[in-house]
Amino acid sequence: MSYILVTPAKNEESFLPTMAKSIINQTIQPKIWVIVDDGSTDSTPDIIANLQKSYTFIHNIKLNPRQRDSELHYSGVCVKGFDYARQHCIDKKIDYDYIGLVDADIILEREYCKKIFKKFEENSTLGLSSGTLFIKRNDRFKVEIPHIRNPRGGNRFWSKTCFEKTGGFEQVPPAETLSKWKAVMHGFDIDRFQDIF
């Protein structure tokens, strides 16, 4: 069970350190984790640089500052990360089974990846999945839309086969919805698991 991971980040100094700790402390660490700095003007670049000094699997792409004005822009940032990570694995002959996208303001439980990958192993047709999220509102945590089984956008994983057969994550609006639709159209199951956070 091995994977590559992409995180888009813009001015995430308040969230990125805690989020990064949740990735680093996963029981299964990524083969490569690409953090795409989308032109941050706060201390996000320094946080990423310090992470890279300690963990060789962390890579960084720095984009020029510009307004994140649309979902099209966000998907383009993600695509740059996916392209870099996949090419790096080709160049270094690194094998992997899954591809993940985790936003910089999301914290994963320690066995999130292990639990997600077990779901893939239990269902050979599962192509795209996520856990669910707790959202903080009025100082209380509430499960976000617990009855919907569609994968969440900011903490999702693809099987490598599904990602490749469906064209992955494209620079189109809305990329998250399109990736789910294409997975289903290619015969893959999709799911959001309520017991994984």
Side-chain angles (χ1 to χ4, degrees):
M1 294 186 291
S2 59
Y3 65 105
I4 60 178
L5 185 65
V6 170
T7 295
K10 185 177 179 71
N11 296 333
E12 297 285 3
E13 65 181 8
S14 298
F15 300 103
L16 186 57
T18 307
M19 181 272 183
K21 186 176 180 181
S22 80
I23 299 299
I24 292 162
N25 289 335
Q26 286 294 302
T27 52
I28 305 172
Q29 288 184 334
K31 291 290 186 180
I32 176 175
W33 177 21
V34 181
I35 306 174
V36 186
D37 176 10
D38 186 19
S40 295
T41 55
D42 64 0
S43 64
T44 297
D46 296 328
I47 294 168
I48 297 170
N50 287 331
L51 288 168
Q52 285 184 281
K53 289 176 185 176
S54 300
Y55 303 96
T56 58
F57 63 85
I58 297 177
H59 293 236
N60 178 225
I61 299 173
K62 295 181 181 180
L63 305 181
N64 293 326
R66 61 175 281 195
Q67 184 178 356
R68 186 182 284 185
D69 53 3
S70 67
E71 187 173 342
L72 183 63
H73 175 74
Y74 170 82
S75 62
V77 172
C78 295
V79 166
K80 285 179 173 59
F82 288 128
D83 289 348
Y84 178 97
R86 295 173 71 214
Q87 188 60 52
H88 175 82
C89 289
I90 291 170
D91 294 343
K92 301 295 183 182
K93 296 181 171 56
I94 297 172
D95 291 326
Y96 60 93
D97 305 300
Y98 306 103
I99 300 173
L101 173 64
V102 179
D103 286 342
D105 59 352
I106 291 177
I107 300 169
L108 304 181
E109 64 171 309
R110 191 165 185 268
E111 292 196 338
Y112 184 95
C113 293
K114 180 180 178 181
K115 290 178 180 180
I116 282 283
F117 301 154
K118 185 177 180 183
K119 299 291 188 182
F120 281 101
E121 291 181 342
E122 291 170 351
N123 178 2
S124 62
T125 61
L126 184 61
L128 173 60
S129 72
S130 78
T132 193
L133 292 177
F134 280 101
I135 304 296
K136 188 175 183 180
R137 295 216 171 96
N138 300 322
D139 293 325
R140 297 185 71 178
F141 287 93
K142 187 175 183 180
V143 175
E144 182 189 40
I145 320 176
H147 60 285
I148 292 179
R149 296 184 67 184
N150 286 336
R152 181 69 166 77
N155 60 340
R156 62 173 46 194
F157 280 83
W158 291 261
S159 69
K160 182 180 179 183
T161 302
C162 177
F163 194 94
E164 291 180 346
K165 283 189 175 179
T166 61
F169 197 83
E170 300 181 54
Q171 189 173 357
V172 294
E176 293 176 1
T177 301
L178 180 62
S179 66
K180 290 185 284 190
W181 178 82
K182 290 177 74 175
V184 172
M185 292 300 293
H186 280 79
F188 292 97
D189 289 340
I190 63 173
D191 209 343
R192 182 194 303 195
F193 299 102
Q194 304 304 318
D195 58 340
I196 303 175
F197 299 98

